[in-house]
Amino acid sequence: MRLLTALVSVASAIYLATSIEAAPVVAGYLLLNPTNGPAKMKALADNAATIPINRIFLAFARPGMVYVPGSNTLEHVGLNYANTADFGFADLKARVATLQAAGVEVFLSVGGWNYGCFPYAYTYYSVGGYGTSTPNYYKIIDNGGSLDKCTETNMWCYTCEPKSENTVLADFDVFPEPTNSATWQTAVNYVKAGAKGDAPVFHPELVPGRPWTDPKNNQKLILPGSDYYITANHDPYQDLVYLGKDLGLAGIDIDYEEMWHADMYKNGPATGPWTNHQTVYKYAAIMRDVQINIQAIAPNLMIATAASAAGGLSTPWWGGNLKNIWYYTNLWYPDVYKFMSQGANGGGVNVMTYDLSNNQQYSECPATGVCSLSQQVNYYMKSYSDNGMTAHVGYEIGIPAYPAYDHDPTHQLPLIQSELTPVLSAQGAKGGFFWELYKKPGNAANLNATSAAQQICKAALGASTPRCSGVIPNFDGTNPTMTLPPGSTTVLPVTTTTPPPTTTTPASCSFPAWSASAVYQSGAVVSYNGHKYTAKWWSQNNVPSAGDPWTDNGVCSIGQPTETPTPGSCNGISAYSAATAYSGGAKVTYGGFVYTASWWTQGETPGTVNVWVKGAACSAALRRRLY
């Protein structure tokens, strides 16, 4: 380890956070990939002075990352930014500097849904752990028939991600417990000393990338993630701080969404309610480890966290979510909560008040008469404030990830103007954040990212603030849309960016015409009003020109513009071959991703063994963040 004795002693210092909050923040998450991530960062940096946000969260790095201070590479970070020699480190650092010089803070977000979802445990203990009438149990029925038929071959019945995403184990990760780290051990001791609930039990046997046997049913499997941090003798949470320092970031963000952990280690009577104290302990230890390292390595680095909507509630927990986690963290470990919510290091506790449902079959309205999006958002935010917890509200652009668009669209609660207005009235002055900068609205009623950002910005920073009238620039060089959502009076001025070079390839409208009655699977191609469209996922009666789930491939009668391949493509990297012997460091493509060999190998398929480290995606196809 690179730790010094003096570093560990920082944990014993008493942290005194000021009660004064920082200036309001208007933040947007940016989901990166090597195909267009660099172009998005360039467009945002080129327009940094006028975009209607003052913070960006870069999503997502792996929680089990390895970063060597001064190495200036993102190779083992899992950010999927670029396939260049340094995996985009230099380019990203330059864009970060430009953005921050213009007043836009940049944070690196770790975790998220995929990098926190353990497919086996989420299926067996969250989705299928409470009988067959839970809201997502239909995924088990559709993909396996019953819980006992969910295996890795059918990705544990595709509860973390739908089958159409073609996920493999390497697409997921868990937050590690790095027992090899002195600061982790200090954090664990701190948590144990402050525990006021169930006796803390940590689980160092859950090592990412290594075999594990579930003691409850004797299932044997490999955990998602990589054990490279152990073989390299690193603490991923310390490495995150070093990476933030070397990239020149304003802060880091811990997006902890391990619902499986709460359900697998719950305690209480068979019929509930239960306690999820073990997950409080794990989360608090992670945050304490990061806190210790920030204070020792990069004292000016801020730390933020994404919190669940129900996380601030103190009422009994009935399983299946992360209710109470932040309430108990603040109650038992107030200095940890204050460190990330107040004072110089306080990047904020950002509440994911989205992906909500009003389906009362599953009691999804939190109280009687509290069922609309705005009512639920204000209810959950009030639970944080009532319990003395500083927190910021979250919004989601477009079609919510839950409930599923292809299963229960009638109970979705998208962000429309009539729902945004009452939320801004109650929460707007405090600032907020949204998911995601380039997520499409999905239909005409849903707010687009620019309109939502402008209104959030004006409510938090003042209507006369110049950047609040700016737009989120298109990254392909075209002008941002001027279409206003119903009920919005926000003006969207036009800005331009330099378009990337394009080539023209022949195309024709020989594709089948779109039909409202037809069912289309992912990858289906149709024509509509002279344009070619490709389906991103299952679709029926979704007009292609409205956006998701259709990608507009351009006018097919005169040729279809195609971007020149970017450094993020897989050009020049050979496809994996079982007959080829690969040395350590060799790169191949497999299943649409770049893999790097850690040592000599032959005949070992990428994604199934630890020798191959999964890198960035080759295409623009992105898995949606679910919650």
Side-chain angles (χ1 to χ4, degrees), residues 32-33 58-62 74 77-81 92 108-109 115:
L32 294 172
N33 73 93
L58 305 178
F60 288 103
R62 283 187 178 272
L74 300 175
V77 172
L79 187 59
N80 287 349
Y81 182 62
L92 186 62
L108 176 61
S109 186
Y115 286 168

Side-chain angles (χ1 to χ4, degrees), residues 375-431:
Q375 288 172 331
Q376 291 197 45
V377 169
N378 287 331
Y379 176 94
Y380 288 123
M381 292 307 299
K382 187 174 184 296
S383 73
Y384 278 85
S385 61
D386 284 353
N387 288 311
M389 303 160 67
T390 302
H392 302 123
V393 68
Y395 308 87
E396 182 172 24
I397 305 303
I399 299 173
Y402 177 84
Y405 59 87
D406 56 354
H407 179 73
D408 187 18
T410 61
H411 290 107
Q412 288 185 330
L413 298 174
L415 184 64
I416 58 178
Q417 188 61 46
S418 61
E419 295 297 329
L420 175 63
T421 300
V423 175
L424 287 177
S425 177
Q427 313 294 336
K430 305 173 187 176

